[in-house]
Amino acid sequence: MAELWFYQLGERELAQALHPLLERCLAKGWRALVRGTDPGRLEALDQALWSYAPESFLPHGLDRQDGQDDPARNPIWLSHQMANANGAEVVFLIDGALAPDQAHFQRVCEVFNGEDPLALAQARAHWREGKSLGLALAYWREKQGIGWAKEA
């Protein structure tokens, strides 16, 4: 049964907040899927992850129409598709994306902007749903100068 973790964004942009989370996945030997709803936003995230930190290499690929990247060769895969094409253990849901079949993941992470009433309402609904299913839940809030702080 998958764990359901929530990450409420604060001061940083999505790429800045997501980068260290993806690094932790790789450090654990996990593959990650970042699932969004907007291919253009995923393309911008792809560029931001390549240029985030010159001393840090975050190997990832982007699900493109031209098939340029191969999901099997990328431990981090950015996609708007429902498929778990790279065999990820962790999925990060951004921009209101829904999770593919949760049974295929050890952890499902919903990353959302708490200042957006719609995103907040969706995260709360997913929390209630996860709780009713008996999933292990965790809630992290981004705090200035600290990074991610666990709140529940």
Side-chain angles (χ1 to χ4, degrees):
M1 189 178 295
E3 296 175 331
L4 185 54
W5 288 23
F6 295 83
Y7 289 92
Q8 182 175 333
L9 295 172
E11 302 280 324
R12 296 184 292 176
E13 293 292 322
L14 176 64
Q16 296 171 326
L18 197 55
H19 194 277
L21 298 174
L22 293 170
E23 283 181 326
R24 287 185 195 130
C25 286
L26 294 181
K28 290 182 178 209
W30 290 350
R31 297 172 74 81
L33 169 64
V34 178
R35 183 164 188 285
T37 56
D38 178 3
R41 171 102 150 136
L42 289 167
E43 193 168 316
L45 181 58
D46 171 54
Q47 293 301 314
L49 290 176
W50 283 123
S51 61
Y52 173 74
E55 70 281 355
S56 172
F57 175 67
L58 196 59
H60 68 280
L62 175 63
D63 188 359
R64 305 171 200 263
Q65 286 187 348
D66 63 10
Q68 184 177 351
D69 290 337
D70 177 9
R73 297 187 61 195
N74 288 282
I76 298 169
W77 187 243
L78 310 177
S79 179
H80 65 281
Q81 306 290 332
M82 285 298 268
N84 183 4
N86 71 332
E89 288 87 6
V90 179
V91 59
F92 290 90
L93 305 172
I94 63 170
D95 299 333
L98 298 176
D101 184 0
Q102 294 182 12
H104 296 286
F105 299 96
Q106 292 182 31
R107 187 171 295 157
V108 175
C109 302
E110 189 166 331
V111 182
F112 67 98
N113 178 350
E115 300 297 318
D116 177 346
L118 196 58
L120 186 58
Q122 181 180 19
R124 286 179 174 157
H126 291 163
W127 177 278
R128 287 189 299 273
E129 181 182 342
K131 190 171 186 172
S132 73
L133 294 172
L135 299 178
L137 302 170
Y139 174 72
W140 301 81
R141 183 187 304 247
E142 188 182 21
K143 296 196 174 180
Q144 188 174 2
I146 297 173
W148 294 110
K150 190 172 185 179
E151 298 211 348

